[in-house]
Amino acid sequence: MEETRGQRGGGGEAMDAAAIPPFDGTGNLPPGIYRAPLDAIEARFCMGEVRVHWGQVLREIVALAQSTGSVEAIYIFGSFVTDKAAPADLDLFVVMAADFTSEPVGGRPRSLFDRSRAALVWGICLYWMTAQTDRTPFLAAWQLRRDGGVRGMVEIQW
């Protein structure tokens, strides 16, 4: 995966909405993984009724994942981080601690760890794994566009 300015790595400094690069000519973020806090992500991607809805869903998902005490990283990819006016869903990739198991998780957070249930409850596409597995190939795959091009994604920073 190619490193670009403002990406994870290097100094690890926080980014604001203006620091997430502009969309390229195809309406996508340039290739790379860009880190930004949730407030900056909302400022950049949550304008308009549909996007505001997805921003509210994103906030809920992040809070539920963090309530487990085991979330290591959350990545946003797909149409939500493009210039599409009304994305049909929210695509998320959640990395949990290496020793995490979903069995003891109860209540509303439990739905995060059942892909079909998460789609029904929130209308999202949520994939998760533990940090025991190398996330690199997954991150590379989710940066691929259907036409074979590569686009960027955003990692939520906290």
Side-chain angles (χ1 to χ4, degrees), residues 41-72:
I41 293 166
E42 283 184 320
R44 173 68 188 273
F45 299 107
C46 296
M47 290 171 250
E49 187 177 342
V50 171
R51 286 182 164 279
V52 166
H53 163 75
W54 289 124
Q56 292 166 343
V57 170
L58 179 60
R59 275 219 180 258
E60 180 180 0
I61 299 305
V62 169
L64 290 171
Q66 288 180 324
S67 76
T68 67
S70 296
V71 68
E72 286 196 5

Side-chain angles (χ1 to χ4, degrees), residues 67-122:
S67 76
T68 67
S70 296
V71 68
E72 286 196 5
I74 300 176
Y75 300 89
I76 310 165
F77 62 101
S79 62
F80 183 77
V81 292
T82 70
D83 69 354
K84 188 173 183 178
D89 63 8
L90 182 61
D91 297 296
L92 300 167
F93 175 45
V94 180
V95 179
M96 304 301 287
D99 62 348
F100 176 79
T101 60
S102 62
E103 289 78 24
V105 178
R108 197 152 170 89
R110 175 81 180 140
S111 296
L112 294 178
F113 305 102
D114 178 333
R115 189 170 132 84
S116 298
R117 183 83 178 136
L120 288 172
V121 172
W122 296 285

